[in-house]
Amino acid sequence: MDDGVVAQTETGMSELGHLGQARFSGISTFMRASYVPDADGVEIALAGLPYDFQGGRGSARLGPAQIREMSGLIRPQSFNLVAPFEMCRVADVGNAVVNPMNPRESIDLATEFVAGLAAKGAAVVSAGGDHGVTYSAVKGLVQGKDPISLVHFDAHPDSYDDPYGGYIHHGNAIRAAVEGGYVDPSRAVSVGIHGTRFFGSDRDWHRDHGMRLLTIDDVADLGVAETVAEIRRIVGDGPTYVTFDIDVLDTPYAVGTGAPEPGGLTMREALGILRGLHGLDIIGGDVMEVAPPFDPSGHTALCAANIMFEILCGTALAYAEKRDGQ
Amino acid sequence: MDDGVVAQTETGMSELGHLGQARFSGISTFMRASYVPDADGVEIALAGLPYDFQGGRGSARLGPAQIREMSGLIRPQSFNLVAPFEMCRVADVGNAVVNPMNPRESIDLATEFVAGLAAKGAAVVSAGGDHGVTYSAVKGLVQGKDPISLVHFDAHPDSYDDPYGGYIHHGNAIRAAVEGGYVDPSRAVSVGIHGTRFFGSDRDWHRDHGMRLLTIDDVADLGVAETVAEIRRIVGDGPTYVTFDIDVLDTPYAVGTGAPEPGGLTMREALGILRGLHGLDIIGGDVMEVAPPFDPSGHTALCAANIMFEILCGTALAYAEKRDGQ
Amino acid sequence: MDDGVVAQTETGMSELGHLGQARFSGISTFMRASYVPDADGVEIALAGLPYDFQGGRGSARLGPAQIREMSGLIRPQSFNLVAPFEMCRVADVGNAVVNPMNPRESIDLATEFVAGLAAKGAAVVSAGGDHGVTYSAVKGLVQGKDPISLVHFDAHPDSYDDPYGGYIHHGNAIRAAVEGGYVDPSRAVSVGIHGTRFFGSDRDWHRDHGMRLLTIDDVADLGVAETVAEIRRIVGDGPTYVTFDIDVLDTPYAVGTGAPEPGGLTMREALGILRGLHGLDIIGGDVMEVAPPFDPSGHTALCAANIMFEILCGTALAYAEKRDGQ
Amino acid sequence: MDDGVVAQTETGMSELGHLGQARFSGISTFMRASYVPDADGVEIALAGLPYDFQGGRGSARLGPAQIREMSGLIRPQSFNLVAPFEMCRVADVGNAVVNPMNPRESIDLATEFVAGLAAKGAAVVSAGGDHGVTYSAVKGLVQGKDPISLVHFDAHPDSYDDPYGGYIHHGNAIRAAVEGGYVDPSRAVSVGIHGTRFFGSDRDWHRDHGMRLLTIDDVADLGVAETVAEIRRIVGDGPTYVTFDIDVLDTPYAVGTGAPEPGGLTMREALGILRGLHGLDIIGGDVMEVAPPFDPSGHTALCAANIMFEILCGTALAYAEKRDGQ
Amino acid sequence: MDDGVVAQTETGMSELGHLGQARFSGISTFMRASYVPDADGVEIALAGLPYDFQGGRGSARLGPAQIREMSGLIRPQSFNLVAPFEMCRVADVGNAVVNPMNPRESIDLATEFVAGLAAKGAAVVSAGGDHGVTYSAVKGLVQGKDPISLVHFDAHPDSYDDPYGGYIHHGNAIRAAVEGGYVDPSRAVSVGIHGTRFFGSDRDWHRDHGMRLLTIDDVADLGVAETVAEIRRIVGDGPTYVTFDIDVLDTPYAVGTGAPEPGGLTMREALGILRGLHGLDIIGGDVMEVAPPFDPSGHTALCAANIMFEILCGTALAYAEKRDGQ
Amino acid sequence: MDDGVVAQTETGMSELGHLGQARFSGISTFMRASYVPDADGVEIALAGLPYDFQGGRGSARLGPAQIREMSGLIRPQSFNLVAPFEMCRVADVGNAVVNPMNPRESIDLATEFVAGLAAKGAAVVSAGGDHGVTYSAVKGLVQGKDPISLVHFDAHPDSYDDPYGGYIHHGNAIRAAVEGGYVDPSRAVSVGIHGTRFFGSDRDWHRDHGMRLLTIDDVADLGVAETVAEIRRIVGDGPTYVTFDIDVLDTPYAVGTGAPEPGGLTMREALGILRGLHGLDIIGGDVMEVAPPFDPSGHTALCAANIMFEILCGTALAYAEKRDGQ
């Protein structure tokens, strides 16, 4: 069962939202947060980055809408009692505008959108879009600052050479973020790599740049607790970004994605690992590669919404801690 | 093909919306209109009335969300060049709050919501919800004034005796609106009645109260033009409400409804009739009984969105004509 | 809207059913009729004939279950006020047992099942199964008597040579029923033939045996009223069977069938023609080729249920007329 | 592979059913048991309790029909060789009648329905409906007797305060069953609690009333065997009811429910725990919150049918043991 | 019913295909034609042009695969007995290779692919892809020759200004084909235009360039026969290309497209018009904008396959007539 | 993310395929391998065996087409770097032709098809079809030679007595393969047996013939590594066939099958076990019982494609080892 009606939350901006109503009341925003398109006063911005340029099945540009819809099923506190809407002023700031014919312009437009939010002091937790959005999000948050740590959940290493003619996209966004100087590879890790492979050499870039890679077998062998410990050891105390490609999940959780790979993480494992990252200096994150047309049931988007909420919780803990002194 | 990008519309409130962006940009509002939850300055309010209490398959309370989503495919001008967003300040004002356990309270809450919009000077074009919403919408607009004319599209007469214990609901809302004094039955007409029947006597209420009833056979025999002429003759020049139960459509257009009835109107017929009502003094209207879980493709909601847009066009024409003098 | 609760019907066996309850009450029977597996005292038996042996997409053996489920949306009186449950003792008698590995044995088992019902004095209105069931149903009703008239709705002529080795099946059931002496081809007609063709010669059997064939173009040219007149002229006053292959309908009504053919009858046309057959001496009929896995929405089955109900109405009119003297 | 044809079972009432036929033969009853609407002579009644009043996505009132359909895939013996149809006279007794407009009356109608079955000596294993049915089922079985033990599988504690105005419903049915004196909280346990939360205080009612709560983390830490041992320690030897909210399962098993929560039990875990309860004095149970429109594939209902079968096995073991002396 | 097995066709290349087998035999090619990737000796090439760059819902690049699959339901002769596989050597030549990141390069690659087929003497009937493929197909067939006639079925005029920065795409392909000198606008016509509009000026380009435009209202007023006559009068005797955007169809036939518009052509109308074009000098054609993820049932693709087959019939008639002398 | 474009593989026959293109390029073959219908020069033939005769929900004859489609998502190397297309000449050879009305003839036709491939020196990895195909595949590969070892993944033992009249089919194919002398039961094992049961005696045949049976509980207790060791101990060094009934998987991976059984293997377990079989003398294998109409999303077929790829890897390792000397 599920109640659907809660008392109004007590603080800040979220009182503008419709958390206090039945779920089918109100328009569809991320987790039923307030819609604040100008982002004024927002401490954590929930944003959509709707572009995709996939060589595969694609359609991830439609992801933010479905994740918003399914996120109406999220309640305001996490299982382990983090209450982001009470801790910070959280709002849905809408989507970036992109150019559907032009990948490079879209990357730039999304980067500017995130940079604009950052300039207002907001942390940004976003929903893609394909994995290219991570390049935009990281660059938008980091440019002009020191490279940051990265926790990268994915079935694929996303560090391929580009075969299309020099584009930044879902197949090389992680690599581009490192090579652009926004991520420090020695404090970065790819988690949950699995599935069939184009080349035997597809993990060489990671090795050559000193970026760790934990396969699904590594995670299975380590267990959740040790995986968390290993990730924390790698990323350290510095500012950290969390990017979660939904295809890292086992396919029953991610039918609605472009490149589903059987044998991935369960949601119990994924939620366990994400909760284990609480306390890190998480400055933002994203969930992406949700392709709604392939899962009209919304189940994939529901999982993505829960992942996004956990990233929000981690971000809110870090934001509040820094804001409130310590 | 479909462009997806339009020049920004030029007037009023809709510039706040995202009509000028690709369709997957922005949050989901009715026809990508601006979201103005307080309705200040709004001339035509697009609203969701999300309740249902069906004895059948139900789920129409989830209709406004899916109609919003699919209405993103609507462009800002109608086929015959009515441009409501240029003529009036149109906005999405969100949904009424209801009590999902209590039908009577929900009816009252929705009525107050519509009355509040009317008090601000807005015409109201809404999306249900089940057909009970029409009672709330009409009462909210009319109470304290003279009874109005009604054009009622439906497969069912909706004038049944209530077998549940004295409730107003989707089976008797039209009757209740007449008996409550909000609709003048001599200027009202039910259009498109078809399908199997509970009782041989199920059209007696109409006959006894002088309310016309055009069956699907009548419409087929008359053709669109004569049907329009007949409806216009019945409703006359006075203030008129248009209620469109999606189940009046033939089932290929309305898989996603509680009580689909094969053999109904085609969309070509429905759009033709609605366009024929332009010039009437339409003060508002609704489309309802869209039950998204039964049509995850959104096709039913897409039809509903197009119907809602045509009602909006008719309402905008009347609103602007009254506002601009004459 | 749709009420879902009706007063108990007043006569005979159907009071055992659950027509007087909300639709989700009770188990799933054809049109919520009583379930009377021994058929004692039943005047019109609603039966499932669940077998298919298709070279194509198949699965019609699962049709009766889905037609039962969707037929819960049917109300007890037809649009033109025929009330079969008041006129006759109508019951669901369950399904024939078949051998899923053996087409010939299945044909025989279904024939015996229908013959057993006929021996108890029941008219039989059945749901398939593939079109092979019609051979069983007609043979079960007619064997030992004179050949009957036949109204055959179908996209395909179903009079092909068998390429598989001498089987009776969905591709030749009509031909087999004629050649077995159960149907008089001079009083039989195939209605609504359309779609692409295997051979240019595929209508020769009809011509050579004096069985009429009205293509979709013929029906469109004639219109519903003249089509009805033509059919009545052909079949005459004698005992008549009505078989309705769901693929005669245009594909939006029949996504859930093995061999959908765009460009078929609309439900408005189909219902009009079937109602035009009232008054004929209809001794039974069937609807078949509903393949549920291809239309999980149940829309195809809903159309089939409405067709089955109209055939039931025609059968009840004939049954009562003969029973009540005159 | 799956055979689909079995020898007729050898005892009692189930010989009336169609277990001995291919699965698509016969009408749709729970596990293809006989349909015995008057319940005479029935030892274990399989019943539908079709009501829901959800503030969320709802539609669980349609659950019994889909669970019946999918339960046709169940074979007559469990994996560990419990054969309920051979041990007891098991029959499908149909559904309770409810009032879809009136939650309170529906609760009472369902309670009377179950009480009537109990008065005939039947144990009752039911399918909902939403979790409110558990209140009806427990009250119907227990009223006038001592409070019983309860094993409650759920993602949610279902002991919320009612925000709607004093209703018993899916959000507080467990609490209401305790407060009504039908369940002894000291011998009751909620198992598998997980997902996001409305309030930090949402487990206080359990603590304050001495009712145990095992979260998904507890179950994961304990493992199946220790979880079973813990449950058995809590509920003891007395009469015990088992209620299984399908949303306790991980979402890939339960797409078709109102409030899916990623990270729940796997079916391997759930079946393991349920089998571990064999030997307890199980007097009945239920499975509910299956919302068919959200999973037209029937997968959720298939899982529910397997769960219902395991509860039936446990109930049959207890029933036969008491009946046969012991 | 549908047979699924036909005698082997008697001529030419199609004997390599699997038309003589049950439909689920063989790999999936257009209409079960032979797969001849080098196109040697092919007279009519069936090709896939798999690219899309939509600002909307997109995914039309996946269209060829689903159209191939559903085209297995097509039989080798048309309703009016055109037998293209007997008249010409018809083969599936596979798909063009495109660059999913680069619209301009993709347009060029598809153009070269078609030009290469034309250079081998093949007429080309293709499946998109989005409407941009038509530019490639027409340019590939025509470049270096005189402008041709065009019959353009579409809901949208596809002659918009490009808002993205000078691309050729689905919104301006028709215009680009005219402006590139491949189509003579005075012998071209857009048929079936309907739906809501971006601008009041969106038909001005047609008017200014002397290209006719028949709206859905025009078609409805004229009827099929007069529409055919009007089209034939416009395009005349010269080489003619037929492009069929699936969104010209009414939405029940075209749920699976990017920009569905209620109120379009029925398949009966569309097939009637296409058959009326037989005898024109049709040198090729295409069907496109089928977006499979939005219609997993394949119904939209089935309609597209039937349309493609009718275009193939018209092309084969013209090809054979020219080849065989006269 | 997923790249979709790879460099052309470097050896042998697969250069004819379209592995070097975006996934939506080219026709649909198993893993985008070349289509070589005459199998000349093919070392490992990928084949479809499209027949089913199920007493249940069936439709597995449609499996090869959907597995082909979804296998386009497979990349050319396995997770643990086996590269079958580089090691052997692998091609798709199309489907066997069957007689959809005649089970016995279909079994024979499929046997001859496989035997023909074997006669050309090809190992055969096939996709069903129902489990009856395994009898054909094993007989086609083995007849005239010594009995082989068998690894049989399945929810069901498939050694039932036939209740239909002496047919070989999906319920007894394993038993028939043993009793026909093609499999040595002492070197054979059924893995993953779970789900409800027809009879308590349904494992007796295994025991009586000395064929091992590892239930899902056995696998769970042993873990993947020990399960692998146990299987290897049983099958030994001789020629081994691997048959994988998709229903051995837990139902979230196998919604699209005829007899889904909750509580089966996860894909992580299944892939782990299959990879553990590398190094055995695998002469071929199959995956079957994928019923596409029950999972239009293709998720079940995607899992099957991954399983098929792992079997291909094992087969290629063995084939190359034998070919290359040693």
PDB file of all heavy atoms in Angstrom, chain A residues 3-10 19-21 76 86, chain D residues 163 198-199:
ATOM      1  N   ASP A   3       0.367   5.577   0.748  1.00  0.00           N
ATOM      2  CA  ASP A   3      -0.616   6.548   1.207  1.00  0.00           C
ATOM      3  C   ASP A   3      -0.950   7.610   0.185  1.00  0.00           C
ATOM      4  O   ASP A   3      -2.097   7.829  -0.158  1.00  0.00           O
ATOM      5  CB  ASP A   3      -0.087   7.189   2.481  1.00  0.00           C
ATOM      6  CG  ASP A   3      -1.229   7.720   3.274  1.00  0.00           C
ATOM      7  OD1 ASP A   3      -2.353   7.808   2.720  1.00  0.00           O
ATOM      8  OD2 ASP A   3      -1.034   8.059   4.427  1.00  0.00           O
ATOM      9  N   GLY A   4       0.028   8.251  -0.313  1.00  0.00           N
ATOM     10  CA  GLY A   4      -0.243   9.239  -1.341  1.00  0.00           C
ATOM     11  C   GLY A   4      -0.519  10.619  -0.800  1.00  0.00           C
ATOM     12  O   GLY A   4      -0.551  11.598  -1.538  1.00  0.00           O
ATOM     13  N   VAL A   5      -0.738  10.721   0.449  1.00  0.00           N
ATOM     14  CA  VAL A   5      -0.963  12.052   1.029  1.00  0.00           C
ATOM     15  C   VAL A   5      -0.054  12.209   2.231  1.00  0.00           C
ATOM     16  O   VAL A   5      -0.006  11.370   3.103  1.00  0.00           O
ATOM     17  CB  VAL A   5      -2.421  12.236   1.467  1.00  0.00           C
ATOM     18  CG1 VAL A   5      -2.571  13.523   2.274  1.00  0.00           C
ATOM     19  CG2 VAL A   5      -3.325  12.282   0.258  1.00  0.00           C
ATOM     20  N   VAL A   6       0.676  13.257   2.235  1.00  0.00           N
ATOM     21  CA  VAL A   6       1.550  13.508   3.377  1.00  0.00           C
ATOM     22  C   VAL A   6       1.286  14.898   3.898  1.00  0.00           C
ATOM     23  O   VAL A   6       0.737  15.751   3.222  1.00  0.00           O
ATOM     24  CB  VAL A   6       3.038  13.423   2.967  1.00  0.00           C
ATOM     25  CG1 VAL A   6       3.380  12.032   2.477  1.00  0.00           C
ATOM     26  CG2 VAL A   6       3.375  14.449   1.918  1.00  0.00           C
ATOM     27  N   ALA A   7       1.656  15.078   5.110  1.00  0.00           N
ATOM     28  CA  ALA A   7       1.607  16.437   5.638  1.00  0.00           C
ATOM     29  C   ALA A   7       2.591  17.277   4.843  1.00  0.00           C
ATOM     30  O   ALA A   7       3.600  16.795   4.350  1.00  0.00           O
ATOM     31  CB  ALA A   7       1.989  16.431   7.110  1.00  0.00           C
ATOM     32  N   GLN A   8       2.266  18.520   4.733  1.00  0.00           N
ATOM     33  CA  GLN A   8       3.151  19.436   4.045  1.00  0.00           C
ATOM     34  C   GLN A   8       4.529  19.371   4.695  1.00  0.00           C
ATOM     35  O   GLN A   8       4.651  19.331   5.901  1.00  0.00           O
ATOM     36  CB  GLN A   8       2.569  20.856   4.200  1.00  0.00           C
ATOM     37  CG  GLN A   8       3.055  21.819   3.182  1.00  0.00           C
ATOM     38  CD  GLN A   8       2.484  21.519   1.802  1.00  0.00           C
ATOM     39  OE1 GLN A   8       2.913  20.578   1.154  1.00  0.00           O
ATOM     40  NE2 GLN A   8       1.528  22.293   1.388  1.00  0.00           N
ATOM     41  N   THR A   9       5.566  19.345   3.896  1.00  0.00           N
ATOM     42  CA  THR A   9       6.891  19.418   4.509  1.00  0.00           C
ATOM     43  C   THR A   9       7.063  20.802   5.088  1.00  0.00           C
ATOM     44  O   THR A   9       6.410  21.766   4.693  1.00  0.00           O
ATOM     45  CB  THR A   9       8.002  19.146   3.475  1.00  0.00           C
ATOM     46  OG1 THR A   9       7.861  20.081   2.424  1.00  0.00           O
ATOM     47  CG2 THR A   9       7.900  17.743   2.943  1.00  0.00           C
ATOM     48  N   GLU A  10       7.980  20.915   5.997  1.00  0.00           N
ATOM     49  CA  GLU A  10       7.955  22.079   6.853  1.00  0.00           C
ATOM     50  C   GLU A  10       8.865  23.227   6.467  1.00  0.00           C
ATOM     51  O   GLU A  10       8.762  24.311   7.012  1.00  0.00           O
ATOM     52  CB  GLU A  10       8.290  21.640   8.281  1.00  0.00           C
ATOM     53  CG  GLU A  10       7.145  20.827   8.873  1.00  0.00           C
ATOM     54  CD  GLU A  10       7.602  20.067  10.100  1.00  0.00           C
ATOM     55  OE1 GLU A  10       8.502  20.557  10.793  1.00  0.00           O
ATOM     56  OE2 GLU A  10       7.037  18.992  10.356  1.00  0.00           O
ATOM     57  N   LEU A  19       3.915  18.166  -2.682  1.00  0.00           N
ATOM     58  CA  LEU A  19       4.151  16.957  -1.901  1.00  0.00           C
ATOM     59  C   LEU A  19       3.001  16.667  -0.957  1.00  0.00           C
ATOM     60  O   LEU A  19       2.818  15.540  -0.523  1.00  0.00           O
ATOM     61  CB  LEU A  19       5.453  17.100  -1.101  1.00  0.00           C
ATOM     62  CG  LEU A  19       6.713  16.788  -1.905  1.00  0.00           C
ATOM     63  CD1 LEU A  19       7.928  17.381  -1.226  1.00  0.00           C
ATOM     64  CD2 LEU A  19       6.854  15.280  -2.037  1.00  0.00           C
ATOM     65  N   GLY A  20       2.241  17.694  -0.606  1.00  0.00           N
ATOM     66  CA  GLY A  20       1.170  17.518   0.363  1.00  0.00           C
ATOM     67  C   GLY A  20      -0.142  17.068  -0.250  1.00  0.00           C
ATOM     68  O   GLY A  20      -1.172  17.086   0.392  1.00  0.00           O
ATOM     69  N   GLN A  21      -0.128  16.666  -1.483  1.00  0.00           N
ATOM     70  CA  GLN A  21      -1.374  16.291  -2.142  1.00  0.00           C
ATOM     71  C   GLN A  21      -1.275  14.862  -2.680  1.00  0.00           C
ATOM     72  O   GLN A  21      -0.205  14.288  -2.763  1.00  0.00           O
ATOM     73  CB  GLN A  21      -1.654  17.244  -3.303  1.00  0.00           C
ATOM     74  CG  GLN A  21      -1.719  18.705  -2.879  1.00  0.00           C
ATOM     75  CD  GLN A  21      -1.660  19.637  -4.057  1.00  0.00           C
ATOM     76  OE1 GLN A  21      -1.783  19.217  -5.182  1.00  0.00           O
ATOM     77  NE2 GLN A  21      -1.485  20.917  -3.783  1.00  0.00           N
ATOM     78  N   PRO A  76       9.111  11.845   0.471  1.00  0.00           N
ATOM     79  CA  PRO A  76      10.118  12.887   0.736  1.00  0.00           C
ATOM     80  C   PRO A  76      11.312  12.466   1.601  1.00  0.00           C
ATOM     81  O   PRO A  76      12.239  13.257   1.748  1.00  0.00           O
ATOM     82  CB  PRO A  76       9.312  13.992   1.409  1.00  0.00           C
ATOM     83  CG  PRO A  76       8.083  13.335   1.921  1.00  0.00           C
ATOM     84  CD  PRO A  76       7.796  12.176   1.038  1.00  0.00           C
ATOM     85  N   GLU A  86      13.784  18.881   3.442  1.00  0.00           N
ATOM     86  CA  GLU A  86      13.839  19.607   4.705  1.00  0.00           C
ATOM     87  C   GLU A  86      15.213  20.242   4.910  1.00  0.00           C
ATOM     88  O   GLU A  86      15.336  21.234   5.615  1.00  0.00           O
ATOM     89  CB  GLU A  86      13.510  18.664   5.865  1.00  0.00           C
ATOM     90  CG  GLU A  86      12.091  18.128   5.774  1.00  0.00           C
ATOM     91  CD  GLU A  86      11.713  17.246   6.950  1.00  0.00           C
ATOM     92  OE1 GLU A  86      12.445  17.249   7.953  1.00  0.00           O
ATOM     93  OE2 GLU A  86      10.680  16.557   6.842  1.00  0.00           O
TER      94      GLU A  86
ATOM     95  N   PRO D 163      -5.304  10.179   6.683  1.00  0.00           N
ATOM     96  CA  PRO D 163      -5.449  11.609   6.422  1.00  0.00           C
ATOM     97  C   PRO D 163      -6.759  11.974   5.725  1.00  0.00           C
ATOM     98  O   PRO D 163      -6.971  13.135   5.399  1.00  0.00           O
ATOM     99  CB  PRO D 163      -4.266  11.885   5.483  1.00  0.00           C
ATOM    100  CG  PRO D 163      -4.114  10.620   4.712  1.00  0.00           C
ATOM    101  CD  PRO D 163      -4.563   9.499   5.629  1.00  0.00           C
ATOM    102  N   PHE D 198       7.317   8.501   3.945  1.00  0.00           N
ATOM    103  CA  PHE D 198       6.647   9.780   4.174  1.00  0.00           C
ATOM    104  C   PHE D 198       7.241  10.518   5.362  1.00  0.00           C
ATOM    105  O   PHE D 198       7.479  11.710   5.328  1.00  0.00           O
ATOM    106  CB  PHE D 198       5.149   9.566   4.416  1.00  0.00           C
ATOM    107  CG  PHE D 198       4.403   9.170   3.188  1.00  0.00           C
ATOM    108  CD1 PHE D 198       3.699   7.975   3.143  1.00  0.00           C
ATOM    109  CD2 PHE D 198       4.422   9.975   2.066  1.00  0.00           C
ATOM    110  CE1 PHE D 198       3.009   7.618   1.998  1.00  0.00           C
ATOM    111  CE2 PHE D 198       3.729   9.614   0.922  1.00  0.00           C
ATOM    112  CZ  PHE D 198       3.024   8.424   0.883  1.00  0.00           C
ATOM    113  N   PHE D 199       7.410   9.752   6.433  1.00  0.00           N
ATOM    114  CA  PHE D 199       7.809  10.354   7.706  1.00  0.00           C
ATOM    115  C   PHE D 199       8.904   9.516   8.349  1.00  0.00           C
ATOM    116  O   PHE D 199       8.932   8.293   8.189  1.00  0.00           O
ATOM    117  CB  PHE D 199       6.647  10.372   8.701  1.00  0.00           C
ATOM    118  CG  PHE D 199       5.384  10.865   8.124  1.00  0.00           C
ATOM    119  CD1 PHE D 199       4.398   9.974   7.748  1.00  0.00           C
ATOM    120  CD2 PHE D 199       5.174  12.230   7.943  1.00  0.00           C
ATOM    121  CE1 PHE D 199       3.218  10.426   7.208  1.00  0.00           C
ATOM    122  CE2 PHE D 199       3.988  12.682   7.378  1.00  0.00           C
ATOM    123  CZ  PHE D 199       3.003  11.787   7.018  1.00  0.00           C
TER     124      PHE D 199
END
